[in-house]
């Protein structure tokens, strides 16, 4: 079996920690795996500030690829982590072999995460950020919001969720090249239950001709179905 290199990006309120189960499986099968945490989240929550934008998140990953000298990378973006993929491809496509959106937000040049949300959800998020932090961050959603049902999974996830830097969802990254820079791209849709906020991006993927695979688990697939997800990622990385 060919060894693949995976960089696994977390979504909103999460950190690299959320990938631990899937990462362990991938490493046991001989693959290289990193799980960076974006500025202001997880173990980097002490860096939370109103200055963090989507460009900060892109820079986090570009520098991670460069300083760890990672090449032929399958870059996986879960949920909000998907918003980073196009920006990273624009800056470091030579280090990437494939992009994978895991129920992820597909943003093109000039788009924001807010622009991909249903209007009522966007209004609610804006009001919540203002009322809880003066617009600096969004407070974490409960684990059930991410399709987590089992008590042991809730106990793993909920204490580790941290507020999300608000300006990352209202700022865009301007791309200097066509979307994805020719890097092959795939989409994984979680279907049990379907995550409403990802529906628009999944449809966008289909419209753009991106192959879509389905996984019968909740939105936090790396927690609720790590083995099935790991096997799907291996297949996509090696077979497309």
């Amino acid at each position: 079996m060919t060894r693949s290199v995976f960089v696994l990006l977390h979504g909103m309120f999460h950190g690299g920690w959320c990938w631990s189960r899937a990462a362990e499986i991938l490493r046991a099968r001989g693959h290289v795996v990193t799980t960076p945490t974006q500025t202001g989240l997880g173990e980097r929550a002490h860096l939370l500030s109103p200055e963090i934008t989507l460009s900060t998140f892109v820079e986090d990953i570009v520098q991670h690829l460069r300083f760890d000298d990672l090449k032929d990378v399958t870059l996986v973006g879960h949920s909000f982590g998907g918003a980073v993929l196009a920006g990273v491809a624009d800056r470091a496509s030579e280090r990437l072999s494939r992009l994978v959106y895991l129920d992820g937000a597909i943003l093109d040049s000039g788009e924001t995460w807010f622009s991909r949300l249903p209007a009522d959800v966007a209004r609610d998020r804006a009001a919540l950020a203002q009322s809880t932090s003066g617009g600096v961050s969004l407070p974490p959603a409960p684990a059930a919001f991410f399709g987590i049902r089992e008590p042991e999974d809730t106990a793993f996830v909920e204490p580790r969720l941290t507020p999300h830097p608000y300006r990352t969802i209202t700022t865009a990254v301007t791309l200097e090249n066509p979307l994805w820079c020719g890097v092959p791209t795939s989409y994984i849709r979680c279907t049990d239950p379907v995550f409403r906020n990802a529906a628009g991006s999944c449809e966008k993927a289909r419209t753009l001709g991106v192959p879509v695979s389905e996984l019968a688990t909740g939105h936090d697939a790396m927690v609720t179905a790590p083995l099935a997800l790991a096997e799907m990622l291996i297949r996509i990385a090696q077979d497309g």
Side-chain angles (χ1 to χ4, degrees), residues 57 67 82 99 103 105 155 167 185 228:
F57 278 15
F67 277 84
L99 301 173
D103 250 7
R167 287 188 65 206
T185 301

Side-chain angles (χ1 to χ4, degrees), residues 34 41 56 61 68 72 93 100 122 147 149 153 157 165 175 186 190 227:
T34 67
L41 288 153
T56 308
I61 305 308
D68 281 39
D72 296 321
S93 62
V100 181
R149 297 164 172 161
D153 293 338
V157 170
L175 306 180
S186 300
C190 300
L227 177 58

